[in-house]
Amino acid sequence: MASSKSSQTTRNVVIACLAVWSIISLIIIVVWATSPQMKGISHCRQELQALNEKHEGAKVIWNEDRQALEALVRQGWDNQTRLQAQVDAHREKLAQLNVTLDECHQENALLSANITTLENEIEAHKATEANLTAHISLQKEEIEWLHSNLTGKLHELESCEALRSAAVSMQKAAEKTTAACQTSKQYLHTQLTRCQNEALKEDSNHQQQQSPGNSAPMAAHGTPLIMALSLLPALLLALAS
């Protein structure tokens, strides 16, 4: 708009200058034509012709200048139209940029809210991590305590296993001793039975052959046998125990 106004003003100034110059030329021609004392008619005609030629030349120049100015004005209008189109395009781009900027502001606000939420979640995760670390420390202490107890229990188990092995060995030895004692018991029981039978037989024989003269020797002879028979049950009980 400013370029078009300046071009139109320039054109008006040039046209006004040409009009003033034409009027001044006509006044000079009239003055020269009305003053015969200063110049002759022929000379005035020559000057008038020269002035007419100059005037025609000025008119041609003025027409050329006018056409050039009109061309400049048309070019100015074309430039103005093109510039206006560019301005409109830039306005549209600016409007789009403003919309994009508003969207960016909204996105930045949303991102700021998300960042705040994430920071809060990070703080919560840090607190959870601290709690888990403390819990893990307690669990490690408990694991160490359980490991210590397990080690003690393993030692106790090994001791019990050793005691069990010793008890098994002692049981086997006792079983063997019991078997030997049972064998000895059976042997002694057999011997006792046989001795009792022999003693009964001898007692019956001696009772049948007993007489008043030999009673003392028979008593002396039966005393060791009676003592042996009395010691056999004690020996059997000792072997059984």
Side-chain angles (χ1 to χ4, degrees):
M1 294 297 291
S3 61
S4 62
K5 288 181 179 180
S6 60
S7 61
Q8 187 174 2
T9 303
T10 304
R11 185 183 66 179
N12 293 330
V13 169
V14 172
I15 292 171
C17 291
L18 290 174
V20 170
W21 184 76
S22 299
I23 293 170
I24 292 171
S25 298
L26 290 174
I27 292 170
I28 291 171
I29 291 171
V30 171
V31 170
W32 280 28
T34 56
S35 56
Q37 296 178 357
M38 294 178 65
K39 296 179 181 180
I41 295 172
S42 60
H43 183 68
C44 289
R45 286 180 179 175
Q46 292 177 357
E47 289 181 354
L48 180 61
Q49 185 177 359
L51 288 174
N52 287 327
E53 291 177 356
K54 289 181 179 180
H55 180 67
E56 292 295 330
K59 285 176 69 176
V60 171
I61 294 171
W62 181 78
N63 288 325
E64 292 177 354
D65 291 337
R66 185 183 67 181
Q67 291 177 358
L69 289 173
E70 289 178 353
L72 289 174
V73 169
R74 285 193 298 272
Q75 185 178 0
W77 281 108
D78 293 337
N79 292 332
Q80 182 181 0
T81 303
R82 187 174 63 255
L83 290 174
Q84 187 65 36
Q86 292 179 359
V87 168
D88 294 335
H90 287 306
R91 284 179 179 175
E92 291 179 358
K93 289 182 179 179
L94 184 60
Q96 293 177 357
L97 289 175
N98 288 329
V99 173
T100 306
L101 184 61
D102 292 334
E103 292 177 354
C104 289
H105 283 309
Q106 294 177 0
E107 188 174 358
N108 287 331
L110 182 61
L111 289 175
S112 298
N114 291 332
I115 289 170
T116 304
T117 304
L118 290 175
E119 288 177 350
N120 294 330
E121 289 181 357
I122 289 170
E123 293 297 329
H125 286 308
K126 286 182 177 179
T128 304
E129 183 180 1
N131 292 330
L132 289 174
T133 303
H135 186 64
I136 289 170
S137 299
L138 292 175
Q139 286 185 345
K140 285 183 178 179
E141 293 178 357
E142 187 175 359
I143 288 169
E144 291 176 356
W145 180 75
L146 290 174
H147 186 268
S148 177
N149 289 336
L150 181 60
T151 304
K153 295 296 182 183
L154 288 175
H155 290 312
E156 290 180 1
L157 182 60
E158 291 176 356
S159 177
C160 291
E161 186 66 25
L163 291 173
R164 188 185 69 81
S165 298
V168 170
S169 299
M170 291 177 67
Q171 183 180 1
K172 289 180 179 179
E175 289 176 354
K176 290 180 180 179
T177 304
T178 302
C181 290
Q182 290 291 336
T183 304
S184 298
K185 179 181 176 182
Q186 291 176 0
Y187 176 74
L188 291 174
H189 184 69
T190 304
Q191 292 294 326
L192 177 61
T193 304
R194 188 178 66 181
C195 290
Q196 286 177 353
N197 292 329
E198 288 179 356
L200 290 174
K201 288 180 181 179
E202 288 180 0
D203 287 337
S204 62
N205 290 329
H206 284 300
Q207 286 177 1
Q208 290 175 2
Q209 296 176 1
Q210 187 176 5
S211 64
N214 56 3
S215 60
M218 289 299 295
H221 180 72
T223 301
L225 183 59
I226 294 169
M227 291 177 65
L229 291 174
S230 64
L231 290 173
L232 282 174
L235 181 60
L236 291 174
L237 290 173
L239 291 173
S241 61

